[in-house]
Amino acid sequence: MASSTTRIPQAELTGLYGAIVKRMSRKMFGVVPEPVGVAWHNRKVLNFNFSIGRKAQRWNQCDENLKSLAHMATASLVGCSFCLDFGYFHAHNNGLDIAKAREVPRWRVSDVFTPLELDVMEYAEAMTQTPPSVTDELSAKLLHALGPAALVELTTFVALANFMARSNVAMGVTSQDFSAACDVRPLTRAPAA
């Protein structure tokens, strides 16, 4: 795994809780992710992040591939290399479409995506822009294609992706080369026009 210097130094995970967090992190990811070391300074924030992440994993009204593509489109637009890298790792470990995951940073010029997947990534980017630029037309297309429960889930999932990506970028958390562990060669930037 690559090393980096975060803007807020990572804290040493100590005590019984620290040992549990380290063990679970290493079991799931092979290492303790940098955001965990940074958030260890404020356990209430760390626990909030863990809790919301676990709860979001149980959502099941929207297709996992679509949520993965939306998350990675958000991460790519925000510039969160950690989130994008972790997105490849997540896609690989959950049997999602790696070829498509790899293409997300250049989704607008790639020919691997379905019209629905393109709409989902456009929606994720529109939500991520400041100010958000979601249109009634795009929302209506997704409502028709996904249904209300899935669109609510997708919208909230993209909002959480923004929360995590923007937090990581602000704290200087960068890629830990998770994609290398699953032999994915990421495309981190769209080609120049």
Side-chain angles (χ1 to χ4, degrees):
M1 299 285 171
S3 63
S4 71
T5 305
T6 55
R7 291 186 181 109
I8 300 170
Q10 294 182 68
E12 181 181 346
L13 281 63
T14 58
L16 178 60
Y17 185 44
I20 292 169
V21 169
K22 284 192 270 192
R23 182 175 179 199
M24 293 302 293
S25 293
R26 288 182 180 136
K27 182 178 179 181
M28 293 189 309
F29 313 118
V31 297
V32 176
E34 284 184 353
V36 174
V38 171
W40 189 257
H41 290 289
N42 187 324
R43 308 278 168 72
K44 289 181 180 180
V45 171
L46 177 69
N47 291 336
F48 172 78
N49 289 341
F50 284 163
S51 175
I52 202 161
R54 282 190 307 270
K55 288 177 181 178
Q57 287 175 349
R58 292 192 299 258
W59 299 345
N60 61 4
Q61 297 298 304
C62 186
D63 178 79
E64 286 299 315
N65 274 303
L66 294 178
K67 290 190 298 188
S68 180
L69 296 174
H71 180 264
M72 294 176 71
T74 299
S76 183
L77 186 63
V78 170
C80 182
S81 64
F82 176 88
C83 299
L84 198 56
D85 180 46
F86 190 80
Y88 296 127
F89 180 80
H90 170 78
H92 175 267
N93 288 345
N94 288 289
L96 304 178
D97 193 325
I98 297 299
K100 288 183 178 183
R102 186 176 178 273
E103 290 284 320
V104 170
R106 47 179 255 124
W107 69 267
R108 289 185 186 278
V109 297
S110 178
D111 62 0
V112 302
F113 299 107
T114 68
L116 177 58
E117 291 166 340
L118 292 169
D119 287 345
V120 164
M121 290 183 287
E122 181 180 349
Y123 187 74
E125 281 195 2
M127 280 186 62
T128 302
Q129 292 172 351
T130 303
S133 60
V134 175
T135 64
D136 291 343
E137 178 184 274
L138 181 57
S139 292
K141 282 173 69 175
L142 288 172
L143 181 62
H144 177 75
L146 301 174
L151 184 54
V152 166
E153 184 172 314
L154 177 65
T155 301
T156 306
F157 196 82
V158 171
L160 289 174
N162 267 277
F163 166 70
M164 296 297 183
R166 291 174 186 278
S167 296
N168 286 336
V169 169
M171 292 187 286
V173 172
T174 59
S175 170
Q176 285 186 257
D177 293 331
F178 286 110
S179 58
C182 51
D183 199 29
V184 176
R185 296 182 192 274
L187 296 172
T188 56
R189 296 197 186 279

